[in-house]
Amino acid sequence: MLVPGSPCPMFIAAECVAIINGSATWIQQSTPLSGSTVEPQSIAYSPTLNRCVTVGDNALGTAAVMYSDNGTTWTRVASADDNANWDCVQWMDNVSLFTALGNKAGAQKCMTSADGLTWTLQADPAGGGSNRIAYSSTLGRALAVNDGGSSTISVLESTNGTTWNGSSTNGAWDNRWHGAS
């Protein structure tokens, strides 16, 4: 996954973050997750803070949140719920907030952070399954989709990153949504 808006192009993949060195060569960066079973799932960049944040998890339900101010040095910080599976993170510039969505034991979870370092658990949004978030600064609105399959809530909407309202897609495409942009 490429990081939109980041001053240095970077992407995340299983257990690694990589940056481009100015040409077409990608360089894997060492992170606190290197060699672990925890995998980054999503990455977001704040131009206001000049900071990247990545969230992730592993099959054992161990959460991971890391941040970097330069794309090469990554620091792991505590999430608001270290037993949740954090699937996505997005910077919302209208409220100057990182918002992350995930799940724990089938329940949807939301956490937010103004700096990417300290995270606060928010009220559980409606819906289930993992999510991907897309944000429009023009509209000041974020949309998240889930791939929960049997969940009747497939699309979540937020203007503040803390409160998410669900919409049903009436089973369209079996409620399995895998991306948003």
Side-chain angles (χ1 to χ4, degrees), residues 35-129:
S36 76
T37 59
V38 180
E39 297 181 1
Q41 298 293 323
S42 178
I43 192 165
Y45 173 71
S46 163
T48 306
L49 302 174
N50 193 34
R51 177 168 292 154
C52 286
V53 169
T54 182
V55 298
D57 58 60
N58 69 9
L60 303 174
T62 302
V65 178
M66 296 186 303
Y67 77 92
S68 176
D69 293 335
N70 60 16
T72 58
T73 303
W74 290 85
T75 303
R76 190 171 182 173
V77 296
S79 77
D81 185 339
D82 282 335
N83 294 312
N85 296 314
W86 297 106
D87 298 314
C88 56
V89 63
Q90 181 69 53
W91 173 254
M92 296 180 66
D93 61 5
N94 68 317
V95 290
S96 298
L97 201 62
F98 285 104
T99 185
L101 295 174
N103 65 77
K104 178 180 176 181
Q108 192 64 41
K109 293 291 180 185
C110 176
M111 67 177 177
T112 58
S113 175
D115 60 8
L117 309 176
T118 304
W119 293 84
T120 302
L121 202 60
Q122 303 295 335
D124 293 351

